[in-house]
Amino acid sequence: MKWLLWFPSKLFQFGVWIRTLLYDKSLISTYSADVPTIVVGNIAVGGTGKTPHVEYLIDLLHSHYQLVVLSRGYKRHTKGFVLAEHNNQLVNAQIIGDEPFQLFTKYADVPIAVDKNRVEGIKNVVSQLPKTQVVVLDDAFQYRPLQPRLSIVLCDSNHLPVNDNMLPLGRLREPLSALHRADVVVITKCDTHLTEEQMLEIRKTLKLSPRQQLFSSIIQYGDLKNRYCESMSISTLQHRSVLLVTGIANPKPLCRYLKDSEIVFYHMAFPDHHDFSKADIESIVRYCDRNKDAVIITTEKDNSKLE
């Protein structure tokens, strides 16, 4: 398989190199918005924790600035620009995408917009919401037509983007050298915060310049929440039949957390951004029919669609 994927990988790498060269040499024009723009992204496929870090930025900024989140709205069933309004009861994951809908349900005072064309999306945001002071863009590091004010790139601590190949042979969307465009690099999903020595080693490994800031982050699981948003301790499920349903890029940390919490579970794993079908729901129902005391655990992102 590696030999079969080698040529497509090199072809993709060449295409990315040409595109990067054209933008770096300003042979293709870029757009710089009047309103400050913050991009959160990565250079490798897979779950690096973009949505939790976007939420972290929202928590930091939205009480001080008129903030709007702009996303592509991946796998939504609509086209063009959509501004999700909180007085619209018809907004769902099919209209704006699962991750934007997750943000929409959590932040009642933060407008969420989607547009595959981020430049047009920003222009529409500023036109329809003229008081906007900051736009946070989810997964837009590879969107070169936009010249952001600040670029934040996330790297999974378990899969640093070194000694890897370009898609489809490897996991890289762009080569390691693309990190030079980042203002901030965050090493995510660390077990503990990295020491100064570890940070220096990673800075050297990723070939970061002195101007680039480097941070580490930890994701900690909170209590479970039922559909009525009531909290319950994970320990209450230690003697229950538990069905874990996920449609995320990397469910391994969640599985590890449940095992460490002494939860015995059966895992139905679906691809990232999975659209649950009638057959999928029937499979879940059959499991619950066989296990009368079953509890279903899922992620916030998947819950936005399963609801």
Side-chain angles (χ1 to χ4, degrees), residues 10-25:
K10 292 301 178 183
L11 191 62
F12 178 63
Q13 183 176 352
F14 179 72
V16 170
W17 180 78
I18 291 292
R19 180 176 182 267
T20 299
L21 182 66
L22 292 174
Y23 277 108
D24 287 350
K25 297 297 183 182

Side-chain angles (χ1 to χ4, degrees), residues 84-125:
E85 299 177 282
H86 288 278
N87 59 359
N88 185 350
Q89 300 296 319
L90 299 178
V91 175
N92 56 39
Q94 284 70 39
I95 292 176
I96 61 174
D98 50 15
E99 289 167 348
F101 185 65
Q102 175 184 327
L103 298 174
F104 177 80
T105 57
K106 291 185 76 170
Y107 297 97
D109 54 348
V110 177
I112 309 295
V114 294
D115 197 332
K116 184 178 180 180
N117 185 326
R118 310 308 206 289
V119 170
E120 290 301 315
I122 291 173
K123 291 178 179 178
N124 278 302
V125 163

Side-chain angles (χ1 to χ4, degrees), residues 33 42 98 110 131 163 190 210 257 285 287:
N42 55 19
D98 50 15
V110 177
K131 293 184 179 180
N163 301 321
C190 299
Y257 169 70
V285 171
Y287 178 90

